[in-house]
Amino acid sequence: MCEKVSEIKAVFDQPVTFQLSFKTSDGKYQSIRHTPDAFRVAEHGVKFIECKRVEELLELSKKYPDRYIYDEKEQCFRSPVMERKLDGTGIGYVYFTDADCNPRFLANIRHLMDYLRNSKQKDIPTEMEQQCINFITNSPVMEIGELLRHHPQLKADNILQMVAGRRIFVDLENDLLSDLETCKLFTSEASCQVYSLTRDAKPSNNSQFLSSINIPISKGMICRHGEQQWLLQSIEPVKQTVLVEITGGKKTQLKPFKLEDVRGLIQSRELSVVHYEQEEDVHTSLMLSASEDNQKRALKRHAALNQLIAGDINRHQAAQYLGCSTRTIRRYLQRHGEGVTRRGNGLPELVDKNQEKGNSERVIGGRSLELANDVIDSEYLSAKNKNVAAIHRDYVRLCKDEHIESGSYSWLRRLIKLVDLGKRVREREGHKKFKAMMPITTSDGVIESRRGARAYEYVHIDHTQLDQALKFPNMKPAKPWLTVASDSYSRDVLAVYLTMNSPSIYSVLMVVRELIQRHGRFPESFCVDGGAEFESVVFEQLCAFFSVTIHSRKSNPRGGSAVESVFKQLNEAVIHGLTGNTKLMKNPRQLTSKVNPFQNALWDFQSLKQLLEDYFYEHYNKTEHPAHMLIPDDVLAESLILHGDRDNRKIDINDEHLQIMMLPYDKHKRTRIIQPVKGVERKGKYYGHDLFSSPEWLGREVEIRIDPEDDSYVYCNLNGWKRCKRVAVEDRYYPGIDRSVITEASSFTRSFHSQKARAERAVPINRKIADKERELKEQQEDEMAKPSKSKTGKRVPSLRIEPGVNDIDDF
């Protein structure tokens, strides 16, 4: 919102790097390179800005007091080392923390962001806009919901567009634009500011307050009676009187009044309350938190005192009824009178203050307490995870070494319980367990609802490997991976993508493409985990181009509960009821061939894909969801009506630039060489283009983008992305089967051309060749073993070859 504040002229992110040298808490010097988050140029000065959370700054201020320090006087964090660095330049350095953020204001800015940017929103007709402004002006209080009901032709987009264009105004600091029934509209900025300043003011003469019986009459209250001003100087609870200072004209006088008379004057509106100080009612809070027996005793005392005040019984009878002395009755009467004076009812003052009983002073102190705290810090708050008994033994040993008396085991256990729970968990069990105890936050550290305030605000994307074995021809059964995109607000499953490959950028882009094909729009943000596929350049480029924010829940896994619950319900409702589910694989040693899911695989890829689409799109999205007991499809459609359709988020799936940006690069090799005649090759398939035959591109290495669901084409970067088609495809061999299923099967069998696969396919012919060679060798050996004979049947002597002896006739 800096660009919307007239005082701020410019903001630069990460402007310059400083070389800093400062002293740490242990007295050593440390030198680092520091780059501030932003540099702000405003009318009142220029400043470097560093953004950090308060909790993080408190921890850093202990380790690096020369770099981070909290100024009690200014009520803010400062950096002494940066102040020394910038001394004399006139440039400031400030910390911007989550305490400086107003969550409602940030939520409203996000709500309006689509209308604040240059969008494709249509202009509102001037006549309709003027009718809305006149209607708001003629109404004392006007909410967005009431305006929409009185003007059916008006849409939420029109109202939000007028708010973003500052033609009507909303108190962005206090009201939520997503809450249509409480968000008030104003026709001028001045009236909006007056409302913002007076909405939290204490009531002075409010009709609801005057009609109340329990009027808080207290010392210092100022009232007005005609031209006179009444100041309540003191109140006597026993006598039920009040001393009033009356100022009128040129004289001032003191007069006592009965408390009931003053209360009656205020209730009859003869006295108008100008000012009063509302104190915290500690006694009422104590009564509400008291035990049941304590409350019963207070009610019994209250009933007895009412009879005593009415004159039905005397003090001795009241003391006998309550089982106490008359002195105690007098004390009860005094406390009851103070309560009547304070709020008109003395019941809370009759409750026993059991928490204040007993000796609350510390018995053990000095060196013994110091040793106990040292042992807790060094031994208990460590990864050793010692129990309290072991810590007590260490504490007793240290006390014995210094010849001082040690505390008991129970005392040390109570002292350990005083340690902050978050600190205990972080030091003993690690930061992950500690973060699981913290509130769920967004990536900017602001605590918000994990549901969001409208549809398509937060869309969660996550993967899971299904507990289901799928069969493939001439292949071993395998388990598929499912990628789901779920809307956090409506709990509607927007898109699903099934694949046999492990999670990658392919799965992410394909589920985004499915989302756009079904809904024709981009969401405002994607909530993802810390997977490498969500940090790829292709995904970040796609989101940045279409103004989609990426919220990472890498350090807060609980933030993905919206999509994790989808996987849980899928397993319970569908997967674990199918033949071939792999629940039994948790104990593989106890499996037999009869119940082995991989030997009983029944479902194929195409059948399971169709089943999942039917379940999510036709059953899950059209059945009441336990999160809000509403139908997700209905919540999604209603949110678009109430919170704006946001036309700037809509997009045509047939846009060629969008289609190219949603295609990933080949993860095995990003480039290919253009070969003569054949073109570019990928997985044994060749793709051609008219430009490949030109000498300019022949033999060059070019980037390619692929479609994981369709391998009949690729895109090549030929000074611009060009579509390259295959010369021959397998469609003619698989009639009636979807193209994506063919590609998925081909992708799963991509090892067809590997040496191992080729060797396995060649086993039958190799076996025949080996058997034939073995047979031929045996025949040859048999022939060699038989003696040779002449035609006359006589044995022919073997020929002996000797150099220089044999004649040519011998051969």
Side-chain angles (χ1 to χ4, degrees):
M1 274 302 291
C2 289
E3 63 271 15
K4 299 298 178 182
V5 180
S6 59
E7 297 179 355
I8 299 177
K9 303 304 180 183
V11 176
F12 306 93
D13 60 330
Q14 297 184 340
V16 67
T17 301
F18 294 95
Q19 185 71 34
L20 302 180
S21 180
F22 52 89
K23 186 183 293 186
T24 61
S25 58
D26 55 3
K28 298 180 180 180
Y29 280 91
Q30 184 173 353
S31 181
I32 63 167
R33 292 173 63 85
H34 169 60
T35 304
D37 291 325
F39 181 70
R40 184 182 63 194
V41 180
E43 292 180 355
H44 53 272
V46 294
K47 292 180 180 179
F48 287 104
I49 300 176
E50 180 71 13
C51 301
K52 286 192 181 297
R53 302 180 186 179
V54 173
E55 181 183 353
E56 185 179 358
L57 285 172
L58 291 174
E59 293 293 332
L60 291 172
S61 62
K62 299 176 183 178
K63 298 180 181 179
Y64 311 108
D66 192 25
R67 187 181 176 190
Y68 308 95
I69 187 173
Y70 183 73
D71 192 336
E72 296 285 349
K73 183 178 179 181
E74 299 293 336
Q75 299 290 314
C76 64
F77 285 93
R78 293 175 37 242
S79 178
V81 62
M82 280 301 299
E83 291 175 358
R84 293 194 300 268
K85 193 77 174 179
L86 299 173
D87 187 22
T89 62
I91 302 176
Y93 185 90
V94 296
Y95 286 105
F96 186 81
T97 67
D98 50 349
D100 301 321
C101 300
N102 186 337
R104 286 177 176 262
F105 181 74
L106 290 178
N108 287 329
I109 293 302
R110 291 186 182 127
H111 200 91
L112 291 173
M113 192 59 68
D114 290 330
Y115 305 92
L116 293 171
R117 296 187 177 122
N118 292 329
S119 59
K120 299 181 288 186
Q121 299 291 336
K122 298 180 181 179
D123 293 334
I124 306 172
T126 306
E127 183 179 353
M128 181 187 297
E129 181 178 336
Q130 191 60 40
Q131 288 179 359
C132 294
I133 294 176
N134 294 337
F135 189 76
I136 297 171
T137 305
N138 297 330
S139 302
V141 178
M142 176 58 60
E143 290 84 10
I144 297 178
E146 185 177 355
L147 182 61
L148 291 174
R149 286 190 292 270
H150 282 82
H151 292 77
Q153 76 279 10
L154 195 66
K155 296 182 179 179
D157 288 292
N158 304 136
I159 297 177
L160 295 175
Q161 191 174 354
M162 287 192 288
V163 173
R166 300 180 64 81
R167 297 190 289 277
I168 58 177
F169 298 88
V170 172
D171 185 8
L172 299 177
E173 298 281 349
N174 299 292
D175 290 341
L176 282 174
L177 286 167
S178 58
D179 193 350
L180 306 183
E181 301 302 326
T182 61
C183 185
K184 297 176 176 56
L185 298 172
F186 303 91
T187 55
S188 66
E189 188 174 6
S191 59
C192 181
Q193 291 176 351
V194 170
Y195 166 74
S196 178
L197 293 174
T198 58
R199 62 177 294 163
D200 296 327
K202 294 181 179 180
S204 58
N205 200 19
N206 189 280
S207 58
Q208 181 181 0
F209 169 70
L210 292 174
S211 63
S212 176
I213 298 177
N214 301 326
I215 299 175
I217 298 178
S218 59
K219 178 182 176 182
M221 178 184 289
I222 301 175
C223 304
R224 183 166 294 279
H225 185 269
E227 298 296 329
Q228 295 178 343
Q229 177 177 295
W230 289 27
L231 173 62
L232 278 60
Q233 291 282 7
S234 62
I235 298 175
E236 183 62 42
V238 178
K239 297 180 180 180
Q240 293 291 296
T241 60
V242 57
L243 185 63
V244 181
E245 177 185 326
I246 303 176
T247 305
K250 297 181 179 180
K251 60 179 182 179
T252 301
Q253 54 182 340
L254 292 174
K255 282 188 178 182
F257 289 88
K258 289 185 178 180
L259 200 59
E260 293 182 359
D261 295 341
V262 176
R263 185 178 290 112
L265 290 173
I266 294 176
Q267 289 180 344
S268 63
R269 301 192 181 183
E270 294 184 28
L271 274 180
S272 59
V273 179
V274 178
H275 172 75
Y276 72 95
E277 294 183 0
Q278 188 174 5
E279 300 178 354
E280 183 181 0
D281 197 346
V282 180
H283 296 85
T284 303
S285 301
L286 178 64
M287 179 189 68
L288 297 176
S289 61
S291 63
E292 184 178 358
D293 294 337
N294 199 351
Q295 292 178 355
K296 288 181 179 179
R297 288 193 298 268
L299 290 171
K300 187 177 180 181
R301 294 166 187 167
H302 187 260
L305 292 181
N306 286 337
Q307 293 181 5
L308 178 60
I309 295 172
D312 297 337
I313 60 175
N314 56 34
R315 291 190 180 183
H316 293 282
Q317 291 174 333
Q320 186 177 4
Y321 174 71
L322 296 177
C324 61
S325 64
T326 56
R327 187 180 184 89
T328 303
I329 295 296
R330 289 198 300 271
R331 189 171 68 253
Y332 287 161
L333 281 172
Q334 182 180 2
R335 287 159 52 182
H336 182 271
E338 293 174 354
V340 172
T341 303
R342 188 175 289 113
R343 77 184 67 80
N345 190 297
L347 175 61
E349 278 72 13
L350 299 177
V351 178
D352 292 332
K353 301 179 181 180
N354 294 330
Q355 74 279 6
E356 297 181 1
K357 297 179 180 179
N359 184 11
S360 59
E361 296 182 0
R362 190 183 295 276
V363 178
I364 300 177
R367 182 58 181 165
S368 180
L369 180 61
E370 292 179 5
L371 289 176
N373 290 328
D374 292 342
V375 170
I376 292 174
D377 292 338
S378 61
E379 299 297 329
Y380 183 78
L381 299 177
S382 67
K384 299 177 184 179
N385 279 287
K386 289 186 176 181
N387 55 24
V388 181
I391 300 299
H392 184 256
R393 290 194 295 268
D394 294 339
Y395 165 64
V396 172
R397 174 177 54 80
L398 293 177
C399 291
K400 292 290 185 182
D401 293 342
E402 298 192 14
H403 305 286
I404 58 176
E405 185 177 357
S406 61
S408 64
Y409 170 80
S410 59
W411 170 81
L412 184 64
R413 184 176 58 187
R414 291 194 300 271
L415 187 63
I416 289 176
K417 286 184 177 181
L418 296 178
V419 180
D420 180 64
L421 178 62
K423 184 178 181 180
R424 273 190 283 169
V425 174
R426 183 176 61 250
E427 300 296 336
R428 291 171 62 86
E429 302 182 46
H431 69 279
K432 289 187 177 181
K433 184 68 174 294
F434 166 72
K435 288 181 178 179
M437 301 172 57
M438 295 296 100
I440 297 177
T441 60
T442 59
S443 57
D444 52 12
V446 180
I447 299 173
E448 288 188 351
S449 170
R450 72 182 75 180
R451 266 194 68 187
R454 59 194 174 277
Y456 297 106
E457 182 182 8
Y458 298 118
V459 172
H460 291 259
I461 299 179
D462 205 354
H463 322 276
T464 186
Q465 189 173 24
L466 298 181
D467 295 336
Q468 179 66 33
L470 298 183
K471 65 177 182 179
F472 290 91
N474 302 322
M475 295 291 295
K476 294 181 179 179
K479 295 165 62 175
W481 284 86
L482 178 68
T483 303
V484 170
S486 174
D487 179 58
S488 183
Y489 177 78
S490 63
R491 300 305 177 96
D492 193 272
V493 174
L494 304 176
V496 295
Y497 176 69
L498 189 68
T499 179
M500 298 305 300
N501 299 320
S502 57
S504 64
I505 186 59
Y506 293 1
S507 304
V508 177
L509 294 179
M510 291 303 102
V511 79
V512 172
R513 185 166 70 176
E514 176 73 10
L515 187 153
I516 297 174
Q517 286 177 343
R518 297 191 67 248
H519 301 276
R521 66 192 304 137
F522 269 104
E524 295 180 40
S525 62
F526 286 120
C527 297
V528 298
D529 56 19
E533 65 273 15
F534 298 115
E535 298 177 357
S536 66
V537 176
V538 178
F539 181 61
E540 292 182 352
Q541 182 190 53
L542 176 68
C543 293
F545 186 83
F546 292 100
S547 302
V548 181
T549 307
I550 301 176
H551 292 293
S552 176
R553 53 184 178 87
K554 181 187 299 185
S555 59
N556 198 344
R558 292 183 304 149
S561 58
V563 67
E564 296 293 348
S565 64
V566 174
F567 298 146
K568 179 181 178 182
Q569 294 181 53
L570 173 65
N571 286 332
E572 293 176 352
V574 179
I575 300 300
H576 290 169
L578 300 179
T579 303
N581 72 80
T582 59
K583 284 193 301 181
L584 295 177
M585 295 303 295
K586 295 179 180 179
N587 298 313
R589 293 177 179 269
Q590 300 177 1
L591 283 180
T592 61
S593 59
K594 185 177 181 180
V595 296
N596 191 326
F598 289 96
Q599 296 185 11
N600 298 325
L602 179 65
W603 288 80
D604 55 27
F605 182 86
Q606 187 175 9
S607 301
L608 183 63
K609 181 180 179 181
Q610 185 63 45
L611 174 67
L612 293 178
E613 291 178 353
D614 292 342
Y615 168 73
F616 282 119
Y617 301 151
E618 303 300 330
H619 173 75
Y620 185 90
N621 290 346
K622 300 182 184 302
T623 308
E624 291 183 353
H625 196 280
H628 42 55
M629 300 306 297
L630 298 171
I631 297 175
D633 275 353
D634 294 346
V635 177
L636 190 74
E638 184 182 12
S639 178
L640 293 179
I641 298 174
L642 298 179
H643 304 129
D645 199 17
R646 303 171 188 268
D647 294 336
N648 64 308
R649 292 286 175 186
K650 295 181 180 179
I651 192 168
D652 185 10
I653 189 61
N654 297 320
D655 182 58
E656 187 175 5
H657 294 290
L658 173 64
Q659 291 182 350
I660 294 174
M661 294 181 70
M662 287 194 300
L663 295 180
Y665 295 99
D666 191 343
K667 60 183 178 182
H668 298 291
K669 188 179 180 182
R670 186 164 177 163
T671 60
R672 293 294 191 277
I673 296 177
I674 300 177
Q675 304 178 27
V677 181
K678 295 181 178 181
V680 295
E681 181 269 340
R682 179 179 178 267
K683 293 185 177 180
K685 303 177 180 62
Y686 292 90
Y687 303 85
H689 192 271
D690 294 340
L691 294 177
F692 288 172
S693 59
S694 66
E696 179 184 359
W697 293 104
L698 195 61
R700 290 185 56 179
E701 192 171 10
V702 296
E703 293 180 326
I704 66 168
R705 287 179 180 260
I706 65 171
D707 187 345
E709 288 192 333
D710 188 356
D711 57 0
S712 64
Y713 70 95
V714 297
Y715 273 89
C716 293
N717 190 2
L718 308 173
N719 289 337
W721 293 99
K722 306 296 182 182
R723 187 185 179 102
C724 305
K725 297 182 178 180
R726 283 189 57 195
V727 178
V729 295
E730 305 99 324
D731 294 356
R732 68 189 71 172
Y733 303 111
Y734 302 96
I737 300 180
D738 186 68
R739 174 73 243 174
S740 62
V741 178
I742 300 173
T743 304
E744 186 63 38
S746 301
S747 175
F748 181 63
T749 58
R750 61 182 178 274
S751 59
F752 182 85
H753 297 285
S754 66
Q755 295 296 332
K756 182 179 179 181
R758 290 181 178 182
E760 290 179 353
R761 290 196 300 272
V763 166
I765 187 63
N766 288 341
R767 184 177 291 115
K768 290 182 178 181
I769 293 174
D771 293 343
K772 189 63 178 178
E773 286 187 347
R774 189 182 304 108
E775 180 182 353
L776 293 175
K777 286 182 178 180
E778 290 177 355
Q779 293 177 1
Q780 184 180 12
E781 290 176 356
D782 292 343
E783 291 178 358
M784 293 294 293
K786 295 179 181 179
S788 57
K789 296 183 178 180
S790 63
K791 294 180 180 181
T792 59
K794 296 182 179 179
R795 184 180 180 85
V796 179
S798 60
L799 182 64
R800 183 178 181 184
I801 301 175
E802 294 183 3
V805 177
N806 300 96
D807 196 3
I808 190 67
D809 296 333
D810 296 335
F811 300 95

